[in-house]
Amino acid sequence: MKYNFDIVPDRRKTNSIKWDVAENEIPLWVADMDFDTAPEIKSAILERADLGALGYADINDEWRNAYIGWWKKRYDFEIKKEWLIFSTGVVPAVSSSVRKLTTPGENVLLLTPTYNIFFNSIVNNGRNPVQCQLKYDGENYEIDFKDLEDKLSDRQTSMMILCNPQNPVGKIWPKETLAKIGELCAKYNVVVFSDEIHCDITEPEKHYVPFASVNETCRNNCVMAVAPTKTFNIAGLSTSAVVVPNENLRHKVWRQLNTDECGEPNAFAVQSAVAAYTKSEPWLEELRDYVWENRRLAEDFIKKEIPELKAIKSDATYLMWVDVSASGMNGSDFSEKLRAKTGLFINDGTHYGKGGENFVRINLATSRAIVQDALARLKSFVKG
């Protein structure tokens, strides 16, 4: 391999949200990789910093073409320049869209378990989260389309936030499923906000389907959020985009992003995104192989050494969703006691809404040695 993912920077005492923990603790919670970003991205940042003057920045065609080229090459999806709007992050784009495209007291629908911060974006803006719990058969997750249609048909429901691929369960939604979601949302005048930030971290040889690429119905009724931040471990640079094909919808989203002052790039946001999408694909391919080997290692270890737990098979993300119900604890008790006894810090599944109560989420985007240490701690805790 050209890139060495076994070596990770020491991020303790560096103002890292993830690594601001006790010396004996391993933090595998927040979706933040431990790896060095691609060297081409580091070079672009250093080159920009060497200029010295770090004043206001703007979006240019190089930035637009980087996004367009990436989605065309990897997902065969043609994005037009005018569809792209800069945002400082996917979460700011979610919150802005909730504020602009819904009114206080209306419902925003979520497929749960899902990314916990969606609830903040809804509740903090005076809207009501409505949960459509995914069907779980002990192995896989599917959408309960009867329940989904019942909740979309409520006249108070005006937006659906889709996670594509689904975080935390790691599901890549098939094209047919996305088409059915699009059809139902259009039928009931519910706009779709599709968060696709985890789209590039999939099992090698697998690819996700962009929501806006499915058909004209989906394309004309969606806001699609994308970013290089999770893919290339540059979340701290606050750089992302929304893709909005519908002109009227796009104007509303653009207006609110600028009203919220989250539509302007910082000094490194453009260069880092361009370097990511135009120069860093080889790094990503090796990263996916490494992360998926971590996943295979963790799944095999849990199956053989900790049968009280069950790792859910996943198509995407570097996050492992683990069923802890057979341990006799729910996700909250399990994660709290695990950290107190072993120093392994993971996520409690209850934060992800209905269906997450008996689960925990573990971040596998770290060195193999840390994964092995974490698994040993996990086993010692369960075996008592």
Side-chain angles (χ1 to χ4, degrees):
M1 294 178 72
K2 179 180 177 181
Y3 307 99
N4 189 350
F5 296 104
D6 286 325
I7 299 174
V8 297
D10 182 1
R11 299 170 66 195
R12 295 181 188 273
K13 300 178 182 178
T14 63
N15 299 320
S16 165
I17 291 174
K18 182 178 181 180
W19 281 92
D20 185 16
V21 295
E23 282 298 321
N24 70 315
E25 290 189 321
I26 298 177
L28 299 184
W29 61 291
V30 65
D32 175 339
M33 294 193 286
D34 287 332
F35 310 120
D36 268 354
T37 190
E40 294 80 5
I41 297 174
K42 292 172 69 174
S43 294
I45 292 169
L46 291 171
E47 182 179 344
R48 183 68 180 84
D50 281 344
L51 183 61
L54 301 178
Y56 297 118
D58 202 0
I59 295 303
N60 55 28
D61 276 348
E62 187 180 23
W63 177 86
R64 296 183 185 93
N65 289 334
Y67 276 88
I68 290 167
W70 186 261
W71 261 263
K72 175 59 180 174
K73 178 181 179 182
R74 292 185 72 86
Y75 309 114
D76 196 27
F77 176 47
E78 301 254 8
I79 297 174
K80 295 183 179 179
K81 285 184 182 181
E82 61 268 24
W83 295 356
L84 282 160
I85 309 169
F86 177 85
S87 173
T88 53
V90 168
V91 171
V94 172
S95 296
S96 280
S97 296
V98 167
R99 280 191 289 277
K100 188 67 174 181
L101 304 178
T102 70
T103 60
E106 289 186 338
N107 301 333
V108 179
L109 187 143
L110 300 168
L111 298 175
T112 62
T114 194
Y115 179 47
N116 56 307
I117 304 301
F118 291 157
F119 290 94
N120 296 353
S121 294
I122 297 166
V123 174
N124 291 347
N125 285 298
R127 279 68 167 172
N128 307 313
V130 172
Q131 301 183 51
C132 177
Q133 185 175 336
L134 297 171
K135 294 188 293 186
Y136 171 59
D137 64 5
E139 296 286 342
N140 299 300
Y141 283 90
E142 300 295 341
I143 295 172
D144 183 340
F145 275 104
K146 183 181 183 305
D147 186 40
L148 179 62
E149 183 163 12
D150 286 345
K151 287 168 178 171
L152 288 174
S153 67
D154 185 337
R155 285 187 167 81
Q156 282 298 104
T157 302
S158 51
M159 178 183 282
M160 174 179 177
I161 300 177
L162 174 67
C163 207
N164 179 36
Q166 185 81 4
N167 169 20
V169 306
K171 177 89 172 184
I172 293 178
W173 297 115
K175 184 175 182 179
E176 297 74 20
T177 298
L178 296 175
K180 195 166 183 179
I181 291 171
E183 177 186 342
L184 288 173
C185 287
K187 178 179 178 180
Y188 294 108
N189 298 307
V190 175
V191 68
V192 177
F193 188 104
S194 186
D195 172 4
E196 310 198 351
I197 197 170
H198 286 281
C199 69
D200 298 311
I201 307 292
T202 64
E203 183 177 355
E205 308 305 323
K206 284 188 178 179
H207 292 291
Y208 96 118
V209 179
F211 185 81
S213 74
V214 172
N215 55 35
E216 189 174 354
T217 299
C218 292
R219 186 163 55 251
N220 285 333
N221 188 42
C222 78
V223 179
M224 200 175 85
V226 294
T229 48
K230 295 295 184 196
T231 305
F232 296 99
N233 202 24
I234 54 172
L237 293 181
S238 300
T239 183
S240 76
V242 288
V243 179
V244 195
N246 182 293
E247 186 176 2
N248 290 332
L249 198 56
R250 183 166 68 248
H251 176 78
K252 291 179 180 180
V253 173
W254 169 81
R255 193 75 185 87
Q256 190 64 43
L257 283 168
N258 283 277
T259 298
D260 292 338
E261 303 298 347
C262 55
E264 296 179 356
N266 63 52
F268 304 105
V270 171
Q271 288 81 359
S272 59
V274 170
Y277 288 140
T278 63
K279 299 178 180 179
S280 304
E281 189 173 35
W283 180 93
L284 174 61
E285 294 306 323
E286 289 196 15
L287 169 88
R288 294 204 303 173
D289 288 339
Y290 189 91
V291 168
W292 234 257
E293 186 57 37
N294 279 353
R295 185 180 292 279
R296 282 190 286 269
L297 170 69
E299 289 175 352
D300 289 346
F301 184 93
I302 288 172
K303 185 176 182 179
K304 295 174 184 175
E305 304 291 334
I306 326 174
E308 297 88 345
L309 308 182
K310 184 170 190 174
I312 306 305
K313 289 291 183 182
S314 175
D315 304 313
T317 85
Y318 47 72
L319 307 163
M320 185 169 64
W321 189 235
V322 181
D323 186 340
V324 301
S325 56
S327 72
M329 289 176 275
N330 61 26
S332 180
D333 288 342
F334 188 96
S335 58
E336 183 178 345
K337 291 175 181 177
L338 175 67
R339 185 178 184 184
K341 290 185 177 181
T342 72
L344 179 56
F345 181 11
I346 61 177
N347 286 115
D348 163 17
T350 61
H351 296 308
Y352 302 95
K354 292 180 180 178
E357 298 86 354
N358 294 317
F359 291 80
V360 295
R361 193 187 79 166
I362 304 174
N363 182 346
L364 297 174
T366 189
S367 73
R368 191 130 316 134
I370 291 176
V371 170
Q372 290 169 332
D373 186 351
L375 291 170
R377 295 186 192 208
L378 194 61
K379 179 180 177 180
S380 69
F381 171 71
V382 174
K383 298 299 184 181

